[in-house]
Amino acid sequence: MLKVNDLVLGYDNVPVVFGVSLEVREKEVVAIVGSNGAGKTTILRGLSGLIRPMEGSIEFMGEDITRTPAHKLVKMGISHVPEGRQLFGKLTVRQNLMMGAYTLKDEAAKKDALDQVFTLFPRLKEREDQAAETFSGGEQQMLAIARGMMSKPKLLMIDEMSLGLAPVLVDRVMDSLKEIRATGITVLIVEQKVKEALELADRGYVLATGRILQEGSSAELLESDVVKKAYLGM
Amino acid sequence: MIGQIIINGLLNGAVYALVAVGLSLTWGVMDIVNFAHGEFLLWGLYSSFWIWALMGLDPLISLPIVVVLIFALGVLTYLVVIKRVLKVSGLTALLATFGLSMVLKNLTQFFWTANYRNVTKPLVSNQSFNIFGMYIRQDYVVAAAGALLLTLLVTLFLNRTKTGVAIKATSINKSAAQLVGIDTNRIYAITFGLSGACVGAAAALMASFTPIYPEACSLYSTLAFVIVALGGFGNIKGALFAGLIVGVVEALGGYFIGTSFKYLVVFLIYLIVMQIRPRGLFGW
Ligand SMILES: Nc1ncnc2c1ncn2[C@@H]1O[C@H](COP(=O)(O)OP(=O)(O)OP(=O)(O)O)[C@@H](O)[C@H]1O
Ligand SMILES: [Mg+2]
């Protein structure tokens, strides 16, 4: 569904991601793991059109989207839940969600999406008139994921969803991801928490300083020397 | 007597507020300080005047036309001038809108000379009516009521419509807005248009009692900057209250200190507030 070839990304013409190739197939959960500054967030920004690739190509559902601007990609079915939540703090929960559904034209589709995220995160429904900025970190993360799902994406990309969350909350958010996957959405996650991410995903890519070190099924990666040594402290 | 002065101040202030709401929109949403804002008002006044002079339509009747015209001027300004400089540092945008204000002002002189023009025999006359012993001018009341109504409409638009909320979302977090599928470029164009629409409406409301000439709007434009700073950037409610306050302060200053010094009081209050609350009276 998503094919990335030799992608070079950077800021102000200084590359930080050097020729990354990866693939996400329909109904898969794929993880990109790596430590701080590896370039994970940069890759997602490139995939969602927030930054223009310097080289390489991106293909989504058979269409070349290398130069497609972010807002059009949402319409095509790509949704990116950014690192650090990036909610509309002064808007209410409901307004945040309705902005998430900005590309949906049909009222029935909007209502359907809303029902879906409220079932997934009942807490949001209880507090739909509250300003997003008054939420706790965990609640904000749920809202960020929910907002990302409101566009009814085919591919959901989530950046560091466990960031700043207590372990119980990490579990809960990871669980919600399992439910999301059950609805048939393809998921690409980016995580520093290598073990948790790989346990959840079908396949993974290990990224270090802007290059892919290793790729494979999650089981393979969890057993590999590179991952064991560098990320799992074994 | 004091009551009458305060009422007059409030009536003026409501129109100031509408002009300031327009300025506050582009300032708050896009971080663009539009120095050509006063010239938008000026072109609104001339539009009202010429529609009246050539077609015989009273400015209050042609208000929707002028709103659309200045909305278009705003969108055009965004597309031709602002869009290009938005990516570069803040000072460039400042210089660009300053340049635009010069161009628009000089074009005004060129097209319509420096002569004073007046709308005569307007729909609502400048007669006063007497209420509780105070003499209040009809045309001021109509202008103020119109300005309040339009400010309310803008607020409703921003809070209740999809595009309005998208404007707010874009102002809060531009890249997050792009990630939910908002075309922020389009939102910016609409914001500039809306800003123009506010000034166009203000122009139409005051065209029948304001002398129209190329310098007619410099005071309004200066006051709009003061009001936006007082009210807090991008804050519509703040702009409304600050506008009313400035109107009243101006009126009281004019009465107690004299017409030539009344703005001294306004600017003094502005300086003091900026020292105590740099983000404005209603800013957060
Ligand atoms: N806006 C930016 N401007 C310039 N350089 C940036 C910018 N954002 C990131 N970088 C640089 O790009 C490199 C990769 O950063 P990136 O944020 O993609 O890493 P990451 O893998 O997501 O890290 P983390 O796990 O800390 O989130 C880093 O060296 C970083 O300093
Ligand atoms: Mg990151």
Side-chain angles (χ1 to χ4, degrees), chain A residues 54-220:
Chain A
M54 296 163 71
E55 273 171 53
S57 68
I58 311 168
E59 199 181 283
F60 178 66
M61 316 269 295
E63 252 183 87
D64 179 50
I65 56 160
T66 316
R67 315 234 150 253
T68 311
H71 66 95
K72 286 197 182 139
L73 293 177
V74 182
K75 230 178 247 168
M76 293 174 70
I78 298 183
S79 181
H80 172 182
V81 178
E83 187 177 41
R85 293 140 203 163
Q86 313 286 337
L87 296 171
F88 305 120
K90 299 225 174 288
L91 301 188
T92 65
V93 169
R94 199 189 175 82
Q95 285 177 319
N96 268 276
L97 292 174
M98 289 330 278
M99 282 296 109
Y102 188 80
T103 51
L104 300 185
K105 292 274 170 289
D106 179 31
E107 286 304 319
K110 283 183 207 168
K111 194 175 170 301
D112 193 45
L114 203 59
D115 287 345
Q116 194 189 5
V117 301
F118 279 160
T119 317
L120 208 53
F121 306 108
R123 225 180 148 62
L124 297 180
K125 189 175 169 65
E126 288 161 29
R127 313 173 70 173
E128 57 177 324
D129 293 320
Q130 200 173 320
E133 64 187 357
T134 62
F135 264 24
S136 75
E139 291 165 336
Q140 290 197 7
Q141 190 61 58
M142 289 176 200
L143 179 54
I145 297 174
R147 184 183 66 182
M149 290 186 61
M150 286 297 292
S151 60
K152 300 203 148 223
K154 300 187 179 86
L155 171 66
L156 183 65
M157 311 194 293
I158 309 182
D159 194 348
E160 218 87 64
M161 62 178 189
S162 61
L163 194 76
L165 297 187
V168 257
L169 277 178
V170 174
D171 287 348
R172 192 180 312 156
V173 175
M174 292 272 181
D175 280 345
S176 62
L177 207 66
K178 283 179 197 150
E179 291 175 46
I180 290 170
R181 131 173 250 188
T183 65
I185 298 178
T186 309
V187 181
L188 175 62
I189 55 173
V190 150
E191 270 293 335
Q192 268 182 58
K193 291 206 169 65
V194 175
K195 186 163 166 284
E196 285 85 345
L198 289 178
E199 278 170 356
L200 191 79
D202 304 314
R203 287 190 309 115
Y205 295 85
V206 181
L207 193 73
T209 56
R211 290 186 175 84
I212 287 174
L213 279 190
Q214 196 158 8
E215 59 175 282
S217 74
S218 296
E220 280 166 22

Side-chain angles (χ1 to χ4, degrees), chain A residues 48 50 71 74 86 88 99 102, chain B residues 162 173 176 178-180 182:
Chain A
S48 62
L50 281 185
H71 66 95
V74 182
Q86 313 286 337
F88 305 120
M99 282 296 109
Y102 188 80
Chain B
K162 182 175 168 183
N173 191 328
Q178 290 170 339
L179 288 184
V180 296
I182 295 172

Side-chain angles (χ1 to χ4, degrees), chain B residues 123-178:
Chain B
L123 197 65
V124 179
S125 77
N126 62 2
Q127 296 286 307
S128 295
F129 59 90
N130 187 333
I131 184 167
F132 303 126
M134 299 181 286
Y135 289 92
I136 316 271
R137 270 178 62 169
Q138 295 174 6
D139 48 357
Y140 287 4
V141 171
V142 170
L148 288 178
L149 185 70
L150 282 156
T151 304
L152 181 70
L153 279 180
V154 172
T155 314
L156 285 178
F157 174 76
L158 287 177
N159 289 323
R160 299 286 166 82
T161 67
K162 182 175 168 183
T163 305
V165 179
I167 289 177
K168 282 188 152 183
T170 305
S171 93
I172 295 170
N173 191 328
K174 185 182 175 191
S175 62
Q178 290 170 339

Side-chain angles (χ1 to χ4, degrees), chain A residues 11 16 34-42 45 83 160 192:
Chain A
Y11 301 95
V16 296
S35 44
N36 285 119
K40 306 180 296 294
T41 297
T42 306
R45 285 199 190 122
E83 187 177 41
E160 218 87 64
Q192 268 182 58

